[in-house]
Amino acid sequence: MPAPVTLLVHGGAGTLTRANLSPAQELEYRDALGQALRAGQSLLLRGASAVDAVVAAVSVLEDCPLFNAGKGSVFTHEGRNEMDAAVMDGATGQAGAVAGVVSVRNPILAAQAVMQQSGHVLLIGQGAEAFAQSQGLAMEGPEYFHTAHRWQQLQAALAHQQVMLDHDGQHPQGQPEPIDRKFGTVGAVALDAHGHLAAATSTGGMTNKMFGRVGDSPLIGAGTYACDATAAVSATGSGEFFMRGVVAHDIAARMAYGGLSLAEATQATVRDKLDATGGRGGVIALDRHGHYQLAFNTEGMYRGVVQGQAEPQISIYRD
Ligand code: ASP
């Protein structure tokens, strides 16, 4: 029997506990994750490609100001929004990404256009902007991306002279605790009715990051990777650790070279490439049999899964 069409999404990992999320906020997050899953699910059930499904799901989350991607992206030290996104097609090995874009409304659509129309894999800054515009994508001014809660996060980070790495134990001794230890990057992985996999990730990066800093999300193999023979993976967390550990590809490589199952590979990568180095965050991973993992080493991760015609299942906390 063929595996059911499957879609997983994440909306970031971090210090997510019942104590720091009100029931009303929790409902808003669940609602948004459910909308993203349904958008991708309805495409997959109609026979659309895994690429189209992950792009649709990520676009919904980019449009939602709750997450750190598209509208709602965090601010750089200079008070700008610089966004990164990537998509990879597990069927063809094609990939597309943009980094440091400031006015593309949906960076994931720009990444998809890079993959399908440019002949390149990664475009940055002004070149990426000009390309997105030439593809007829919606562009926005800074006011569109500006949200009050992200601005407050930047002010708090500036006051504490911290890059908001947002994870436990990474602040220097004697410094105050990070104010908001949550990652809000969004991502999706999908298996379509034709047995193909895809992965997509979109982010505003880190609050108070340096001008020009690029994270793991748009780097193929670090925060985003898909290959039909192994797995589709999208990551969230302290990007520098995911880049050094080439985390998304590491999971696929353990499957390809070591014969590990998706679950074994994911657990080994989280242990060796995140736990062992102090990296914080999580991954969603999926293979062509419909086996999946939603793994993280933080207190929680906004996450959800839908298979076949079933109702989406959404979780936030560790339990
Ligand atoms: N991984 C992202 C980055 O480093 C941040 C996140 O997951 O929220 O840019």
Side-chain angles (χ1 to χ4, degrees):
M1 212 171 85
V5 295
T6 304
L7 176 67
L8 276 69
V9 296
H10 69 75
T15 315
L16 308 174
T17 61
R18 286 189 175 79
N20 48 25
L21 213 60
S22 73
Q25 285 172 318
E26 185 178 327
L27 216 62
E28 281 185 66
Y29 279 102
R30 286 179 173 279
D31 200 51
L33 293 167
Q35 277 179 37
L37 285 168
R38 284 200 176 81
Q41 179 188 32
S42 70
L43 285 171
L44 290 171
L45 290 174
R46 280 185 272 137
S49 70
V51 167
D52 285 344
V54 292
V55 168
V58 165
S59 300
V60 168
L61 298 173
E62 284 180 338
D63 290 343
C64 174
L66 293 174
F67 301 100
N68 172 19
K71 186 171 181 67
S73 287
V74 299
F75 288 97
T76 64
H77 181 74
E78 289 75 17
R80 282 159 46 104
N81 304 109
E82 292 181 8
M83 299 166 286
D84 306 332
V87 62
M88 187 161 187
D89 182 347
T92 61
Q94 297 286 309
V98 292
V101 295
V102 298
S103 53
V104 182
R105 184 184 175 108
N106 289 103
I108 198 64
L109 296 181
Q112 185 183 23
V114 169
M115 176 172 81
Q116 294 173 342
Q117 308 295 342
S118 76
H120 298 297
V121 172
L122 173 61
L123 295 181
I124 64 163
Q126 286 178 358
E129 299 272 332
F131 175 73
Q133 202 154 17
S134 76
Q135 295 296 305
L137 296 182
M139 310 297 279
E140 301 286 351
E143 63 293 340
Y144 171 79
F145 299 100
H146 185 111
T147 55
H149 70 291
R150 297 298 185 202
W151 188 252
Q152 282 156 13
Q153 278 178 357
L154 174 63
Q155 302 318 309
L158 288 170
H160 290 90
Q161 296 187 331
Q162 291 180 333
V163 177
M164 297 286 280
L165 291 173
D166 284 357
H167 55 276
D168 311 350
Q170 284 304 304
H171 52 290
Q173 288 291 324
Q175 294 242 331
E177 288 279 307
I179 296 92
D180 183 3
R181 301 186 298 177
K182 293 196 280 296
F183 303 99
T185 289
V186 305
V189 292
L191 169 66
D192 66 27
H194 318 285
H196 298 310
L197 296 171
T201 314
S202 181
T203 188
M206 298 287 205
T207 299
N208 198 18
K209 67 183 178 181
M210 278 177 72
F211 169 60
R213 179 266 186 187
V214 175
D216 60 310
S217 310
L219 301 185
I220 300 305
T224 307
Y225 188 72
C227 173
D228 277 2
T230 50
V233 182
S234 170
T236 174
S238 40
E240 280 66 13
F241 292 86
F242 285 73
M243 287 186 262
R244 293 185 201 111
V246 202
V247 163
H249 184 261
D250 193 69
I251 293 173
R254 286 175 197 266
M255 296 172 74
Y257 312 147
L260 269 59
S261 70
L262 181 86
E264 291 165 343
T266 305
Q267 283 154 22
T269 296
V270 170
R271 183 192 62 219
D272 296 349
K273 301 291 182 165
L274 297 179
D275 293 346
T277 61
R280 306 289 291 167
V283 295
I284 52 174
L286 173 66
D287 72 13
R288 67 177 184 279
H289 308 295
H291 303 136
Y292 62 83
Q293 290 284 302
L294 304 124
F296 50 96
N297 67 3
T298 47
E299 283 85 343
M301 179 166 81
Y302 295 111
R303 61 199 187 276
V305 56
V306 70
Q307 281 199 300
Q309 309 214 14
E311 282 296 301
Q313 295 168 35
I314 293 157
S315 312
I316 299 176
Y317 312 111
R318 181 161 282 287
D319 48 308

PDB file of all heavy atoms in Angstrom, residues 220-232:
ATOM      1  N   ILE A 220      21.316  25.077   2.024  1.00  0.00           N
ATOM      2  CA  ILE A 220      20.912  23.713   1.704  1.00  0.00           C
ATOM      3  C   ILE A 220      21.840  22.755   2.451  1.00  0.00           C
ATOM      4  O   ILE A 220      23.062  22.857   2.368  1.00  0.00           O
ATOM      5  CB  ILE A 220      20.978  23.479   0.173  1.00  0.00           C
ATOM      6  CG1 ILE A 220      20.033  24.456  -0.550  1.00  0.00           C
ATOM      7  CG2 ILE A 220      20.636  22.030  -0.178  1.00  0.00           C
ATOM      8  CD1 ILE A 220      18.593  24.431  -0.100  1.00  0.00           C
ATOM      9  N   GLY A 221      21.228  21.839   3.195  1.00  0.00           N
ATOM     10  CA  GLY A 221      21.998  20.879   3.992  1.00  0.00           C
ATOM     11  C   GLY A 221      22.097  21.273   5.450  1.00  0.00           C
ATOM     12  O   GLY A 221      22.258  20.416   6.308  1.00  0.00           O
ATOM     13  N   ALA A 222      22.013  22.569   5.742  1.00  0.00           N
ATOM     14  CA  ALA A 222      22.095  23.020   7.143  1.00  0.00           C
ATOM     15  C   ALA A 222      20.692  23.053   7.758  1.00  0.00           C
ATOM     16  O   ALA A 222      20.356  22.238   8.616  1.00  0.00           O
ATOM     17  CB  ALA A 222      22.775  24.368   7.220  1.00  0.00           C
ATOM     18  N   GLY A 223      19.855  23.988   7.274  1.00  0.00           N
ATOM     19  CA  GLY A 223      18.505  24.115   7.828  1.00  0.00           C
ATOM     20  C   GLY A 223      17.430  23.512   6.955  1.00  0.00           C
ATOM     21  O   GLY A 223      16.280  23.377   7.393  1.00  0.00           O
ATOM     22  N   THR A 224      17.771  23.167   5.738  1.00  0.00           N
ATOM     23  CA  THR A 224      16.780  22.671   4.774  1.00  0.00           C
ATOM     24  C   THR A 224      17.428  21.613   3.882  1.00  0.00           C
ATOM     25  O   THR A 224      18.537  21.844   3.371  1.00  0.00           O
ATOM     26  CB  THR A 224      16.294  23.842   3.866  1.00  0.00           C
ATOM     27  OG1 THR A 224      15.852  24.920   4.697  1.00  0.00           O
ATOM     28  CG2 THR A 224      15.162  23.405   2.950  1.00  0.00           C
ATOM     29  N   TYR A 225      16.761  20.477   3.700  1.00  0.00           N
ATOM     30  CA  TYR A 225      17.304  19.450   2.796  1.00  0.00           C
ATOM     31  C   TYR A 225      16.192  18.472   2.417  1.00  0.00           C
ATOM     32  O   TYR A 225      15.325  18.175   3.242  1.00  0.00           O
ATOM     33  CB  TYR A 225      18.447  18.668   3.471  1.00  0.00           C
ATOM     34  CG  TYR A 225      19.136  17.740   2.509  1.00  0.00           C
ATOM     35  CD1 TYR A 225      19.968  18.227   1.509  1.00  0.00           C
ATOM     36  CD2 TYR A 225      18.918  16.356   2.561  1.00  0.00           C
ATOM     37  CE1 TYR A 225      20.571  17.379   0.594  1.00  0.00           C
ATOM     38  CE2 TYR A 225      19.527  15.504   1.652  1.00  0.00           C
ATOM     39  CZ  TYR A 225      20.349  16.023   0.671  1.00  0.00           C
ATOM     40  OH  TYR A 225      20.942  15.174  -0.234  1.00  0.00           O
ATOM     41  N   ALA A 226      16.219  17.976   1.187  1.00  0.00           N
ATOM     42  CA  ALA A 226      15.271  16.926   0.779  1.00  0.00           C
ATOM     43  C   ALA A 226      15.888  16.045  -0.289  1.00  0.00           C
ATOM     44  O   ALA A 226      16.528  16.540  -1.226  1.00  0.00           O
ATOM     45  CB  ALA A 226      13.983  17.547   0.249  1.00  0.00           C
ATOM     46  N   CYS A 227      15.684  14.742  -0.132  1.00  0.00           N
ATOM     47  CA  CYS A 227      16.132  13.756  -1.113  1.00  0.00           C
ATOM     48  C   CYS A 227      15.165  12.578  -1.008  1.00  0.00           C
ATOM     49  O   CYS A 227      14.985  12.042   0.094  1.00  0.00           O
ATOM     50  CB  CYS A 227      17.563  13.322  -0.794  1.00  0.00           C
ATOM     51  SG  CYS A 227      18.128  11.962  -1.827  1.00  0.00           S
ATOM     52  N   ASP A 228      14.559  12.187  -2.119  1.00  0.00           N
ATOM     53  CA  ASP A 228      13.562  11.114  -2.063  1.00  0.00           C
ATOM     54  C   ASP A 228      14.114   9.831  -1.452  1.00  0.00           C
ATOM     55  O   ASP A 228      13.392   9.072  -0.820  1.00  0.00           O
ATOM     56  CB  ASP A 228      13.050  10.791  -3.481  1.00  0.00           C
ATOM     57  CG  ASP A 228      11.947  11.747  -3.925  1.00  0.00           C
ATOM     58  OD1 ASP A 228      11.616  12.678  -3.156  1.00  0.00           O
ATOM     59  OD2 ASP A 228      11.416  11.553  -5.042  1.00  0.00           O
ATOM     60  N   ALA A 229      15.398   9.570  -1.673  1.00  0.00           N
ATOM     61  CA  ALA A 229      15.981   8.304  -1.213  1.00  0.00           C
ATOM     62  C   ALA A 229      16.165   8.259   0.292  1.00  0.00           C
ATOM     63  O   ALA A 229      16.332   7.175   0.868  1.00  0.00           O
ATOM     64  CB  ALA A 229      17.331   8.093  -1.894  1.00  0.00           C
ATOM     65  N   THR A 230      16.155   9.426   0.927  1.00  0.00           N
ATOM     66  CA  THR A 230      16.404   9.440   2.376  1.00  0.00           C
ATOM     67  C   THR A 230      15.310  10.234   3.102  1.00  0.00           C
ATOM     68  O   THR A 230      14.351   9.639   3.586  1.00  0.00           O
ATOM     69  CB  THR A 230      17.796  10.038   2.689  1.00  0.00           C
ATOM     70  OG1 THR A 230      17.937  11.299   1.993  1.00  0.00           O
ATOM     71  CG2 THR A 230      18.903   9.078   2.275  1.00  0.00           C
ATOM     72  N   ALA A 231      15.427  11.553   3.146  1.00  0.00           N
ATOM     73  CA  ALA A 231      14.511  12.314   3.987  1.00  0.00           C
ATOM     74  C   ALA A 231      14.356  13.756   3.518  1.00  0.00           C
ATOM     75  O   ALA A 231      15.209  14.286   2.809  1.00  0.00           O
ATOM     76  CB  ALA A 231      15.034  12.329   5.423  1.00  0.00           C
ATOM     77  N   ALA A 232      13.256  14.364   3.947  1.00  0.00           N
ATOM     78  CA  ALA A 232      13.074  15.817   3.850  1.00  0.00           C
ATOM     79  C   ALA A 232      13.162  16.363   5.269  1.00  0.00           C
ATOM     80  O   ALA A 232      12.538  15.817   6.180  1.00  0.00           O
ATOM     81  CB  ALA A 232      11.722  16.140   3.239  1.00  0.00           C
TER      82      ALA A 232
END
